[in-house]
Amino acid sequence: MNFIDEALLEVRAGNGGSGCLSFRREKYIPRGGPDGGDGGKGGSVIIKVDQGMNTLIDYQNKKVLAAKNGTSGSGRNRSGQDGENLILLVPLGTVIIDDSSDTTIYDCSDPSKDYLIAKGGDGGHGNARFKSSTNQAPRKITPGYEGDSITIRLELRSFADVGLVGFPNAGKSTFLNSVSAAKPKIGDYPFTTLKPNLGTIKYFDKSYVIADIPGLIEGASSGLGLGIKFLKHISRTKSLIIFLDPENPEIEMLDQFKILTKELLEFDKALIEKKIWIVVNKNDLLEENGSAEAESLKGQLSDLDINYQELLTISGYTRNNVEELFNSLFNEKLA
Ligand SMILES: Nc1nc2c(ncn2[C@@H]2O[C@H](COP(=O)(O)OP(=O)(O)OP(=O)(O)O)[C@@H](O)[C@H]2O)c(=O)[nH]1
Ligand SMILES: [Mg+2]
């Protein structure tokens, strides 16, 4: 499994078309004036955000992408045609880096914006432009200008507010499915989710993006399971929800929590320093919605030196307590 969240592209804007050298030729006008038109502008390369996209996989096999050249001007003062712009669509949160200097050019966070990457060359001037009182028959033109070209690296770190972390089968995708319009695959086997899914939820008048990533297991930081490479997708989220699964037949919830936080720490200490909510999921399968399990887990956690915001029992399936989770998550901490 190789999830592409990076791409290297050489992009070239179009060149401007050349100006035209031409003189009017008409009956009864033996020496017509200059009428060579200007060349058209080259197309630019522009990046735009497509909110429906969540990977850069489309760019995997593309190496060089070029916008169209402008065409040359022609006689009778006709200008050349402008080359068409090349629009590249990327997922929200894509970072564009100039590969040669390793500097970030844009952080594509605004879906309404055009991010200009390479500007098309201006068209050249036709000889009609150079007519003056002292030169009625100029033979001068200028060629079109070259378009910019640049090698860029696209990097996608997901732009979510909340990241979902848990063992395989903990119910992360079920949760995302029931609270947002996203339709991630759900399965009663581990590693159903192979790449991150993003969903948007509305909470009163605000919306938040939730990232569901593949499940983690012990040793993920040394490459076991699907590994921890997906954790970079939640490196910029403000909060994490750690999903604990009371139905996990092998690992009890306290150990799940310890293993998960250890793997997060191994990847990046900053992950553990985020605001963390803990949920005991699947409470529809527990007596009294898991109140006993929650209390006992709280007691066990108080012995550990762990900072978390709140521990709740929920069911992604029936949505029990999901409202309370959102109240706690969005009201206090994110709003
Ligand atoms: N009873 C009950 N079952 C649930 C609940 N949430 C998830 N499940 C079941 O648990 C199994 C795993 O659910 P997923 O949502 O695919 O779990 P996941 O955490 O996304 O798993 P991976 O993608 O493998 O990491 C499925 O069989 C779900 O139907 C819940 O709240 N209650
Ligand atoms: Mg899943």
Side-chain angles (χ1 to χ4, degrees), residues 154-170:
L154 309 183
E155 277 188 21
L156 177 61
R157 299 168 215 151
S158 95
F159 205 67
D161 300 290
V162 183
L164 309 183
V165 176
F167 269 70
N169 268 344

Side-chain angles (χ1 to χ4, degrees), residues 46-51 87 89-93 107-116 159:
I46 290 166
I47 287 192
K48 282 180 84 71
V49 168
D50 176 351
Q51 288 184 279
I87 311 276
L89 298 175
V90 300
L92 185 68
D107 197 332
C108 303
S109 56
D110 183 352
S112 63
K113 212 172 143 176
D114 284 350
Y115 296 97
L116 177 66
F159 205 67

Side-chain angles (χ1 to χ4, degrees), residues 8-273:
L8 189 69
L9 297 176
E10 188 186 332
V11 298
R12 293 184 197 149
N15 299 329
S18 174
C20 169
L21 174 64
S22 166
F23 293 95
R24 244 186 341 263
R25 278 171 221 284
E26 283 172 46
K27 265 188 190 170
Y28 315 119
I29 311 178
R31 298 179 59 208
D35 71 352
D38 295 341
K41 272 194 291 217
S44 295
V45 181
I46 290 166
I47 287 192
K48 282 180 84 71
V49 168
D50 176 351
Q51 288 184 279
M53 282 172 78
N54 58 18
T55 84
L56 292 167
I57 202 148
D58 292 351
Y59 295 105
Q60 190 180 2
N61 297 316
K62 308 226 169 75
K63 297 282 173 271
V64 182
L65 291 169
K68 292 269 190 313
N69 294 332
T71 62
S72 302
S74 47
R76 302 186 191 198
N77 288 315
R78 280 176 306 208
S79 298
Q81 271 178 355
D82 291 347
E84 213 179 303
N85 290 338
L86 176 67
I87 311 276
L88 305 177
L89 298 175
V90 300
L92 185 68
T94 301
V95 178
I96 316 236
I97 296 152
D98 175 347
D99 193 56
S100 63
S101 62
D102 210 25
T103 49
T104 297
I105 319 175
Y106 296 118
D107 197 332
C108 303
S109 56
D110 183 352
S112 63
K113 212 172 143 176
D114 284 350
Y115 296 97
L116 177 66
I117 303 295
K119 193 169 178 306
D122 281 334
H125 287 168
N127 67 335
R129 292 259 193 181
F130 296 100
K131 183 179 170 187
S132 67
S133 55
T134 53
N135 188 354
Q136 295 290 314
R139 303 193 62 84
K140 181 174 173 179
I141 58 137
T142 53
Y145 294 86
E146 261 188 35
D148 295 340
S149 72
I150 182 174
T151 299
I152 52 171
R153 213 163 66 232
L154 309 183
E155 277 188 21
L156 177 61
R157 299 168 215 151
S158 95
F159 205 67
D161 300 290
V162 183
L164 309 183
V165 176
F167 269 70
N169 268 344
K172 303 173 295 297
S173 300
T174 301
F175 175 81
L176 185 71
N177 187 299
S178 80
V179 301
S180 77
K183 289 288 160 262
K185 195 167 162 196
I186 292 168
D188 60 358
Y189 51 90
F191 304 116
T192 310
T193 301
L194 298 175
K195 65 171 187 63
N197 298 301
L198 296 181
T200 308
I201 66 138
K202 263 200 104 73
Y203 181 78
F204 293 96
D205 57 345
K206 291 217 170 101
S207 49
Y208 298 99
V209 176
I210 298 185
D212 165 35
I213 60 169
L216 295 177
I217 58 172
E218 180 157 31
S221 52
S222 44
L224 290 185
L226 291 178
I228 48 170
K229 55 183 176 292
F230 302 106
L231 288 176
K232 71 176 159 216
H233 292 266
I234 55 170
S235 64
R236 295 201 298 183
T237 64
K238 300 182 191 80
S239 315
L240 297 181
I241 307 178
I242 298 193
F243 273 68
L244 302 179
D245 183 1
E247 295 296 299
N248 185 317
E250 281 142 26
I251 310 167
E252 61 168 290
M253 290 194 287
L254 180 65
D255 290 330
Q256 290 175 35
F257 182 81
K258 285 184 184 165
I259 292 168
L260 291 167
T261 48
K262 178 167 164 279
E263 299 298 332
L264 294 177
L265 187 69
E266 302 266 306
F267 181 77
D268 183 357
K269 188 163 166 278
L271 289 178
I272 293 290
E273 289 159 359

